[in-house]
Amino acid sequence: MKIPVWSFTLLSTYDRCPRQAEARYITKELPYVENPQAAHGNDVHDEYEGCIKRKGFPVKYPEGLKYFHDIYALPCTELMAEQQLGVTRDWKPTGFFGNDVWGRGKLDVTAILNSTTAILFDWKTGNSAYEDPFELEVQAVLLKAKYPDLQTIKGCYIYLKDDRYGKVYDLSSKIEKTKKTIEEIMNRVNQGLFYANKNALCGWCALTSCKHHKNK
């Protein structure tokens, strides 16, 4: 069994249902299919990435305009969009596609305020009924590996559909705990522990062979 490079999506999928994670990332029984919602989200991310890189505001999706004004008003020494980061097994920085990459992630917006402080923003185009900071926490782990002098890393989601900021999280205080969580999940993946976990999303899962599938 070839162990995949971890990402937030692999980690979160395994946490929700290890069997689904196996089908997506190990056996590839569930190949990735981009639905309309995901396609829209990718389009928005591409547009906003270009906005930051060219220092011009988006035309197709003006709903993010006020958030760009807020971000540009920050006293940044660096402002980066869609930063691709990777880490090795011993939590050292490496290339996103490096030969020694163990985990990787893409950060929507990284605002480095100074050598010790950074803020992460993550665009969300879907609903905001439930908020989980784990994605931001994983991003903070990757950022800390690249910038080890950072002492304070905060982050929040920006919900474009609902036109609001999410809660601001102190991510730096959770880095060691997040590392431990990642290691625990990947140890289970290495051991081949892929049990089916019945959960609220079983009704939308495409793995028809699972005993918890809606048609069973």
Side-chain angles (χ1 to χ4, degrees), residues 149-195:
D149 291 336
L150 288 175
Q151 299 301 315
T152 301
I153 304 175
K154 294 185 181 295
C156 74
Y157 299 114
I158 298 177
Y159 296 99
L160 298 169
K161 186 176 180 180
D162 296 337
D163 190 24
R164 71 175 183 87
Y165 286 103
K167 179 181 176 181
V168 177
Y169 296 95
D170 178 7
L171 306 173
S172 42
S173 65
K174 300 290 184 64
I175 285 177
E176 293 307 314
K177 181 180 179 181
T178 304
K179 284 182 179 180
K180 185 176 180 180
T181 298
I182 293 171
E183 289 176 341
E184 288 175 349
I185 291 175
M186 292 310 293
N187 284 338
R188 292 173 187 169
V189 170
N190 274 299
Q191 294 174 53
L193 301 179
F194 297 114
Y195 57 89

Side-chain angles (χ1 to χ4, degrees), residues 24 29-39 42 206:
R24 281 191 182 183
E29 298 163 75
L30 291 179
Y32 176 72
V33 177
E34 187 178 67
N35 59 37
Q37 293 80 12
N42 290 333

Side-chain angles (χ1 to χ4, degrees), residues 134-145:
F134 185 56
E135 184 173 8
L136 290 168
E137 290 166 359
V138 170
Q139 292 179 15
V141 167
L142 295 166
L143 189 67
K144 175 70 172 179

Side-chain angles (χ1 to χ4, degrees), residues 37-55:
Q37 293 80 12
H40 172 68
N42 290 333
D43 197 21
V44 170
H45 278 70
D46 289 344
E47 181 78 6
Y48 288 175
E49 177 186 7
C51 171
I52 288 179
K53 289 184 175 178
R54 68 176 179 264
K55 296 185 178 180

